[in-house]
Amino acid sequence: MEAFAESVGLSRPTVSKYFQDAASVRPKVREKIEAGLKATGFRPNLFAVNLNRRRSKILGVIFPTSLDSFYMGLRRRIETEATESGYLPFVFSSDGKAELEAEALETLTSLNAAGVIMVPVGGDAAHRSKVKTLARNIPVVFIDAPFDDEEAFVGTNNEQSMALITDYLTRLGDRPCYFDMPWVNSNAKGRRESYIATMRRRGLEPEVIPVQHSTTWDFERYAFDEANRILGEGGFPTSIVLCGNDRVAFGVLAAVNQAGKKVGISPDCDLRVAGHDNQPLSEYIWPPLTTVQQNTAEMGRLAINLLLSRIDNSRVFDQPRGRGEHVLVNADLVLRSSA
């Protein structure tokens, strides 16, 4: 940067100021720098610049999988908001494994990241302690699944969303039974508990289907195998099946369709099936899936805004803390022909 500044006849601090905020220098100075950039092709080393700052412009984003379209939607909104705010987002996938999540956190620490948005995967006490230590030194906002009561969190209001679809299904002439999702995070427990509470509030006995609980992220395969087992053992306990999420519903629908049973709302149908999340494919499978819409765009916007506010406020993170800010986003019912 010193050599470039000398080549355009400006001081290094002026050039550095331009790279931090181009609008902060006078128009004629900006034109001179931009002409020099075009002539020389010079670009500052972002890693060197960020490592040299007390607080970098790098934001870390950690998801448990890069294949789930729900996380793709969150990523798109977070990256857009971060970039517009002048930050450089680095996205990692933990593949649902605590050791990979730990590696991502170590990498972000070495990059002097200004803050982190992450979906926690849990892990043992040692891993959770490592995450807590990070949160005391770097602003962290958890998304989709809370870490604990102390840490900031943005996610879907599972109590509201699952109650919304459970209440709807109870009006269709039979009790909805519940097909659990793999217990990969706290959403699984929250959704099941909301289903149970809603059923009891309606004066109905909950019917949670006994399944082989798993922590796999291969939701479709898990649901397909379990649904085939259930069908082989006599079938579902009721004619309405509410799944913990849409990807579980995809596996259930595949097994039921291959078994020759008909899913839908017409009188000749054997089952009705519903999900949760409104995955992009939910509208295009057969039959199109009744579900609830998670507002990923709003969740992403709220998470990045909450993180930036924590960065700007420069909180002291090693002090004892009470309950962190938890922001819950309501969902909307989406009715289609599966239920």
Side-chain angles (χ1 to χ4, degrees), residues 155-218:
T156 294
N157 185 348
N158 286 312
E159 183 176 346
Q160 177 266 345
S161 62
M162 190 56 73
L164 188 67
I165 194 162
T166 302
D167 186 66
Y168 163 72
L169 294 174
T170 61
R171 304 173 189 272
L172 300 182
D174 196 3
R175 289 182 305 148
C177 59
Y178 187 69
F179 197 116
D180 221 346
M181 62 183 282
W183 281 48
V184 293
N185 57 38
S186 59
N187 285 329
K189 180 181 178 182
R191 291 178 187 179
R192 186 173 74 169
E193 288 180 348
S194 180
Y195 158 78
I196 292 171
T198 305
M199 291 289 285
R200 289 177 175 163
R201 188 165 59 248
R202 296 276 294 167
L204 300 170
E205 185 63 27
E207 187 76 56
V208 178
I209 301 169
V211 292
Q212 300 295 320
H213 283 293
S214 171
T215 56
T216 180
W217 281 90
D218 191 356

Side-chain angles (χ1 to χ4, degrees), residues 165 168-169 172 246 249-250 253 263-266 271-294 332-339:
I165 194 162
Y168 163 72
L169 294 174
L172 300 182
D246 287 356
F250 296 163
L253 285 173
V263 176
I265 57 177
S266 60
L271 287 170
R272 300 186 184 203
V273 177
H276 185 292
D277 292 355
N278 199 27
Q279 291 269 355
L281 290 178
S282 299
E283 186 177 0
Y284 302 104
I285 59 170
W286 185 258
L289 187 66
T290 288
T291 184
V292 286
Q293 168 74 54
Q294 293 194 95
D332 297 308
L333 188 63
V334 179
L335 298 180
R336 300 192 180 106
S337 56
S338 72

Side-chain angles (χ1 to χ4, degrees), residues 13 20 22 56 59 81 103 111 121 123-124 142 150 217 222 246 298:
Q20 292 184 48
S56 78
L59 292 183
E81 295 281 344
E103 287 181 12
L111 290 173
V121 299
D124 58 19
F142 294 91
E150 289 184 346
W217 281 90
Y222 149 84
D246 287 356
E298 182 65 1

Side-chain angles (χ1 to χ4, degrees), residues 13 26 40 44 76 105 114 126 132 141 146 158 176 195 197 203 217 223 229 231 234 283 285 296 304 308 326 332 336:
R26 287 175 296 158
T40 64
R76 183 165 56 247
L105 292 172
K132 290 289 286 186
V141 171
N158 286 312
Y195 158 78
W217 281 90
R229 179 186 61 79
L231 291 168
E283 186 177 0
I285 59 170
T296 54
I304 190 70
L308 294 179
H326 282 205
D332 297 308
R336 300 192 180 106

Side-chain angles (χ1 to χ4, degrees), residues 19-217:
F19 283 117
Q20 292 184 48
D21 181 6
S24 66
V25 300
R26 287 175 296 158
K28 287 193 175 298
V29 172
R30 185 163 65 246
E31 290 172 8
K32 192 172 186 179
I33 292 174
E34 290 172 353
L37 291 175
K38 188 174 182 179
T40 64
F42 171 75
R43 288 292 181 272
N45 185 310
L46 289 174
F47 292 99
V49 170
N50 278 295
L51 289 171
N52 194 42
R53 287 173 172 166
R54 182 179 63 84
R55 188 177 70 201
S56 78
K57 300 296 283 186
I58 290 174
L59 292 183
V61 184
I62 307 175
F63 291 135
T65 174
S66 59
L67 301 177
D68 193 307
S69 57
F70 169 73
Y71 295 122
M72 292 179 189
L74 282 178
R75 172 179 177 168
R76 183 165 56 247
R77 185 57 185 262
I78 289 170
E79 285 184 319
T80 299
E81 295 281 344
T83 302
E84 289 178 353
S85 298
Y87 285 85
L88 180 65
F90 278 38
V91 183
F92 298 81
S93 172
S94 66
D95 198 26
K97 299 175 182 177
E99 59 268 26
L100 293 182
E101 183 175 271
E103 287 181 12
L105 292 172
E106 289 170 3
T107 299
L108 289 167
T109 300
S110 69
L111 290 173
N112 192 28
V116 177
I117 293 175
M118 63 183 290
V119 180
V121 299
D124 58 19
H127 177 68
R128 290 182 64 83
S129 177
K130 183 180 292 187
V131 175
K132 290 289 286 186
T133 299
L134 173 80
R136 292 189 186 99
N137 295 282
I138 300 175
V140 177
V141 171
F142 294 91
I143 194 168
D144 185 43
F147 185 78
D148 60 20
D149 285 346
E150 289 184 346
E151 307 303 336
F153 165 68
V154 175
T156 294
N157 185 348
N158 286 312
E159 183 176 346
Q160 177 266 345
S161 62
M162 190 56 73
L164 188 67
I165 194 162
T166 302
D167 186 66
Y168 163 72
L169 294 174
T170 61
R171 304 173 189 272
L172 300 182
D174 196 3
R175 289 182 305 148
C177 59
Y178 187 69
F179 197 116
D180 221 346
M181 62 183 282
W183 281 48
V184 293
N185 57 38
S186 59
N187 285 329
K189 180 181 178 182
R191 291 178 187 179
R192 186 173 74 169
E193 288 180 348
S194 180
Y195 158 78
I196 292 171
T198 305
M199 291 289 285
R200 289 177 175 163
R201 188 165 59 248
R202 296 276 294 167
L204 300 170
E205 185 63 27
E207 187 76 56
V208 178
I209 301 169
V211 292
Q212 300 295 320
H213 283 293
S214 171
T215 56
T216 180
W217 281 90

